[in-house]
Amino acid sequence: MNFIDLKTQYQHLKTDIDARIHAVLDHGQYIMGPEVAELEAQLASYVGVKHAIGVSDGTTALLIALMALGVTHGDEVITSPFTFIATGEMIALLGAKPVFVDVDPATYNLDPNKLEAAITARTKAIMPVSLYGQCADFDTINAIAARHKLPVIEDGAQSFGATYHGKKSGALSSIACTSFFPSKPLGCYGDGGACFTDDDELAKKMREIRVHGQDRRYHHPVIGLNGRLDTIQAAVLLAKLPSFPLEVEARERIGARYNELLKDVARVPKLAEGNSSVYAQYTLEVDDRDNIAAKLKELGVPTAVHYPIPLHLQPAFAELNLPEGSFPVAEAAAKRVISLPMHPFLDEATQDAVVAAVKQALA
């Protein structure tokens, strides 16, 4: 049994993917070839924003967004402690301080009720995470940010394709970032990512930062980095994008079916009103998580934990001096969450087998 099934997806799209890759091999423009601009136009159209900037990976997307906003040494950026390390890591890499705000116990996304208390004179931006495929509460977050004249960056690495009150993830804030890591809802065959914005000036800055701060060949107005998206990865994404809406529908259907079948035995994902989820992970909360994972492994069901240690308890952030108890909701979730096999090609028979195993393990 596969946790994520990329092989079946490839077989469905093999002709288109192979043709797209071979077109790149034929023209030989492996860096910033024509497929990158083509993909950016299609991504911007899909999300509903003016600008999409293809970049090398989701982590670099966050870094480029922060750099475009001028985040630097001594600044503070507010984010969630319950996320992948990249979210806090890119803030720290620029010499800024990650300021954590605990998460909502229902959605695991940043709790906007605790946001305002974390804002100081040094706050430069707010970076909520749209975890597990569901967008954070952007209406409330954006309203608080607007009062304090702060930009908002959506870390949408797990939520590409999800909607929030009818708008897509990526179109909800000053800048949004996503990842096209192979296991993401829309994944390439290596690393890849994108930044999204409606702001022309921010788009220009991010495009320059992506190519070493260059506005024209060998002319560098700003310090940048090498954040380019490979042409072959853009080609793979172009082949996958036409069928992506159908895969999003499948993810929603499979997630809803899991919820119905497991709601009586475990804490299943909760969707906030007005949200859809792409279930980048299908995540339960259970007691005695490690024992349950071991039992499921014996029964042939692969699982994963996203994420077992909140960021404030990671050794890399020890200097922040945020001991256990600082963010109790995130800490409790980290001890209890477990993710089950989830992908758009998960058939009902396999899903039924997963559900049966979960019920047996919890019995």
Side-chain angles (χ1 to χ4, degrees):
M1 186 184 295
N2 295 304
F3 188 73
I4 292 166
D5 189 354
L6 296 177
K7 292 180 182 177
T8 298
Q9 184 195 50
Y10 173 61
Q11 292 306 319
H12 276 260
L13 301 173
K14 185 180 191 312
T15 302
D16 292 340
I17 290 172
D18 289 358
R20 280 287 189 175
I21 290 173
H22 279 284
V24 178
L25 297 175
D26 286 338
H27 68 55
Q29 296 177 56
Y30 300 116
I31 302 292
M32 299 296 285
E35 285 81 0
V36 174
E38 185 184 354
L39 175 68
E40 288 174 339
Q42 291 193 23
L43 290 173
S45 175
Y46 176 81
V47 169
V49 293
K50 286 172 69 177
H51 304 283
I53 299 97
V55 299
S56 55
D57 55 83
T59 303
T60 300
L62 296 173
L63 182 60
I64 289 172
L66 291 162
M67 290 172 72
L69 293 171
V71 172
T72 190
H73 186 81
D75 290 335
E76 295 177 354
V77 178
I78 296 171
T79 192
S80 163
F82 191 53
T83 179
F84 183 56
I85 186 74
T87 315
E89 183 182 36
M90 292 303 98
I91 298 166
L93 192 66
L94 289 171
K97 178 184 176 183
V99 173
F100 299 120
V101 168
D102 211 351
V103 295
D104 180 281
T107 65
Y108 308 110
N109 288 327
L110 189 147
D111 187 343
N113 296 315
K114 298 171 182 170
L115 173 57
E116 201 139 24
I119 295 172
T120 74
R122 289 190 168 187
T123 306
K124 189 81 171 186
I126 302 167
M127 192 154 73
V129 181
S130 295
L131 200 72
Y132 297 154
Q134 176 178 196
C135 296
D137 182 357
F138 277 93
D139 283 351
T140 309
I141 292 167
N142 286 337
I144 293 167
R147 280 203 299 276
H148 293 269
K149 296 183 171 55
L150 293 170
V152 176
I153 303 170
E154 180 188 14
D155 180 345
Q158 298 179 9
S159 57
F160 189 79
T163 59
Y164 173 86
H165 298 282
K167 293 182 74 175
K168 285 199 170 69
S169 175
L172 305 170
S173 56
S174 317
I175 303 175
C177 303
T178 199
S179 168
F180 301 126
F181 186 79
S183 62
K184 300 298 185 187
L186 179 65
C188 54
Y189 289 165
D191 276 314
C195 300
F196 302 92
T197 188
D198 277 323
D199 186 304
D200 295 343
E201 186 58 33
L202 284 175
K204 180 176 182 290
K205 283 182 183 175
M206 289 191 286
R207 290 186 192 282
E208 290 174 1
I209 291 166
R210 169 181 67 175
V211 287
H212 299 283
Q214 181 174 273
D215 63 351
R216 58 187 185 272
R217 194 164 176 79
Y218 299 130
H219 186 262
H220 307 266
V222 296
I223 295 295
L225 46 80
N226 178 4
R228 301 171 301 211
L229 177 65
D230 288 346
T231 312
I232 283 181
Q233 302 306 340
V236 170
L237 292 166
L238 282 166
K240 287 187 172 192
L241 204 49
S243 60
F244 182 63
L246 289 175
E247 292 191 10
V248 169
E249 288 178 19
R251 286 178 171 276
E252 291 178 17
R253 182 179 68 252
I254 293 162
R257 190 168 187 268
Y258 261 142
N259 287 351
E260 187 61 32
L261 295 171
L262 289 168
K263 66 183 181 183
D264 295 331
V265 296
R267 215 210 93 171
V268 299
K270 291 182 173 68
L271 283 183
E273 188 177 348
N275 274 5
S276 72
S277 177
V278 286
Y279 294 101
Q281 285 83 28
Y282 182 84
T283 304
L284 302 173
E285 265 195 47
V286 296
D287 295 325
D288 197 11
R289 190 254 319 281
D290 293 345
N291 185 40
I292 299 300
K295 287 182 179 178
L296 287 170
K297 186 177 181 181
E298 286 175 16
L299 294 166
V301 175
T303 61
V305 176
H306 307 91
Y307 296 93
I309 304 173
L311 297 195
H312 64 289
L313 298 179
Q314 292 286 355
F317 290 120
E319 65 181 29
L320 295 177
N321 193 27
L322 295 167
E324 192 150 357
S326 298
F327 304 103
V329 181
E331 291 164 23
K335 292 183 173 75
R336 293 173 50 83
V337 292
I338 186 168
S339 299
L340 303 180
M342 180 69 201
H343 55 82
F345 301 95
L346 189 67
D347 59 58
E348 290 193 357
T350 307
Q351 191 176 21
D352 288 342
V354 173
V355 169
V358 170
K359 289 181 175 178
Q360 184 177 333
L362 289 169

